[in-house]
Amino acid sequence: MPTYRDVKRYLLAIGLERFLRNLATGYLAVVVPLYLSELTGSALAAGLVVTAAGLISLGTSILYAALGDVIGHARGLAVSEVAFASALVAIAAYRNPWAVGIALGIGGVGMLGPGSTRGSFIPLIMALVRRHTSNAVERTRDLGIVNLLSTAGGIAGSLLVAFTALREASLFFVLSVSTAAALVLLSLGRGETVRRANPFRAVKKRGATVLAYSLSQLVAGVGIGLSNSLLSLWMNTYLGMGPALIAVIYAIGNAAFSLSALFAHVFARLLGLVKASAASRFASGALLAVLPLIPHPAAFAAIYALYNAMVGIGGTARSSYISGAAAEGGEATTPALASISMRMAATPSAAAAGYLIEAGPALLMPIAGAFVAAAGYIFLRYLREVD
């Protein structure tokens, strides 16, 4: 068992790594959809580019997770950060939208929007947290702390939109992400060893759980892809909000997410991870559905914050659930593969979101909310507590 001092040290290392990484991600989540729309001339084309990025990132995210299960999770995380830093260089260097999409995919960024800055959803992060905890409540608690520090970086990054343009910000972000890679490698990676493990064989040991979890994530992915991938573009086109206002609302939502994630372990203790996860899906789906009815910025921000609070509780609980379900040798690959269905559904949904933004923007969020609520039912119906 790790000592209390070890726990504090590992959380500080992961939290700082996520903060530095998400300075860039939080910025990109606001700017890139608008940037792609400018480069391509339409919301639909911007959605297609994000779709391409998502398809590429499906492979890279599994690659980094499986690599981490073999060479060490901190080392695998450092490799993924170097790839992301390289992607930032490419985004700054090229104005071709497809080059931007390919760079995002190689960097492991398959979705844009506020959810992209949330640390507990990263398989290698889940594996590192699992290594330092002994039960579901502890794991959920620590994932909530990681989310707080991770999302703080996303908030800071989104607020930078008001002060600097993409090309000028890129050099700073390359430095912050490179620092994140060095931090995690030096603080947590030095004691890791290469394991003779087959991550994919370890996933097969939990086949039934992975299948049911994947089904729920598949349905949720449609709703999340519709609602999150081009959210800043929808807010700009349908509600008339500018980039600076969008950035502030993103920051409010991220703050609500991170603060609520701190209390996810309380719900895990009272309800269990399965019921806590399902309840959050029901609530967040309903809140998504009413967003088009609230054009006033302050009221919109309040409902959006409540939506993110539900996502914070449920998302942290679900991450803890699938992390705890993984067999030894597949601690990162199991969450990566179990969530690939969400990415597969969310990726083409970005293109569908672009179409709806142009053809029927008022329908976008209610449709997304229905899929999210349905995912909650599947989770409750087919999954059982694992620890």
Side-chain angles (χ1 to χ4, degrees):
M1 274 292 293
T3 66
Y4 180 68
R5 181 178 179 181
D6 290 334
V7 170
K8 289 177 64 178
R9 174 176 165 270
Y10 109 90
L11 280 176
L12 180 62
I14 293 178
L16 285 176
E17 182 272 336
R18 287 287 95 187
F19 181 92
L20 292 169
R21 155 72 181 245
N22 286 327
L23 283 173
T25 310
Y27 183 92
L28 295 177
V30 177
V31 169
V32 166
L34 302 176
Y35 182 56
L36 290 174
S37 181
E38 174 191 333
L39 293 179
T40 61
S42 77
L44 176 59
L48 289 172
V49 174
V50 174
T51 296
L55 291 172
I56 295 169
S57 74
L58 287 176
T60 57
S61 62
I62 295 172
L63 173 64
Y64 300 143
L67 182 65
D69 279 334
V70 175
I71 69 171
H73 299 120
R75 293 174 180 177
L77 187 60
V79 169
S80 72
E81 297 296 24
V82 171
F84 183 54
S86 301
L88 289 168
V89 173
I91 291 169
Y94 299 103
R95 284 185 57 83
N96 183 300
W98 296 106
V100 172
I102 292 169
L104 288 170
I106 293 173
V109 181
M111 291 182 62
L112 294 168
S116 57
T117 65
R118 292 159 184 184
S120 74
F121 299 163
I122 310 301
L124 287 164
I125 297 293
M126 296 184 208
L128 286 167
V129 169
R130 170 176 157 148
R131 183 201 301 175
H132 290 85
T133 54
S134 60
N135 58 59
V137 173
E138 285 184 11
R139 193 169 58 247
T140 308
R141 177 204 64 200
D142 284 10
L143 285 170
I145 294 170
V146 170
N147 269 328
L148 177 66
L149 298 172
S150 174
T151 308
I155 292 171
S158 67
L159 293 176
L160 286 175
V161 172
F163 303 102
T164 182
L166 176 61
R167 287 177 177 267
E168 288 71 22
S170 296
L171 177 60
F172 169 71
F173 290 142
V174 169
L175 292 173
S176 73
V177 172
S178 298
T179 301
L183 173 66
V184 73
L185 186 62
L186 293 174
S187 60
L188 299 176
R190 288 183 297 174
E192 292 183 326
T193 58
V194 176
R195 297 189 293 183
R196 289 187 175 183
N198 184 331
F200 301 100
R201 186 175 298 163
V203 174
K204 289 180 65 176
K205 294 179 181 179
R206 300 291 186 266
T209 297
V210 170
L211 181 62
Y213 188 93
S214 296
L215 177 61
S216 176
Q217 294 293 81
L218 177 73
V219 176
V222 178
I224 291 169
L226 288 172
S227 60
N228 273 12
S229 295
L230 299 175
L231 178 58
S232 62
L233 187 58
W234 179 79
M235 293 167 69
N236 178 261
T237 302
Y238 183 63
L239 300 177
M241 297 181 183
L245 178 57
I246 293 171
V248 171
I249 292 175
Y250 268 28
I252 292 171
N254 277 326
F257 171 90
S258 60
L259 291 173
S260 68
L262 288 176
F263 298 96
H265 72 281
V266 177
F267 289 88
R269 182 183 293 112
L270 294 175
L271 300 177
L273 292 174
V274 172
K275 289 181 180 178
S277 298
S280 78
R281 288 284 199 215
F282 297 145
S284 58
L287 290 164
L288 271 180
V290 302
L291 284 179
L293 305 177
I294 311 169
H296 190 276
F300 183 94
I303 297 300
Y304 183 67
L306 185 57
Y307 159 75
N308 276 278
M310 295 300 101
V311 174
I313 293 168
T316 306
R318 279 185 295 278
S319 295
S320 181
Y321 179 87
I322 195 59
S323 178
E328 186 177 353
E331 296 91 344
T333 307
T334 299
L337 286 174
S339 296
I340 195 173
S341 60
M342 172 181 282
R343 300 279 296 277
M344 290 176 65
T347 295
S349 296
Y355 170 78
L356 285 171
I357 287 171
E358 293 182 343
L363 298 175
L364 179 61
M365 295 302 166
I367 293 172
F371 277 99
V372 170
Y377 171 77
I378 294 169
F379 205 99
L380 184 63
R381 175 69 176 79
Y382 294 107
L383 286 165
R384 299 291 179 267
E385 298 294 335
V386 294
D387 66 350

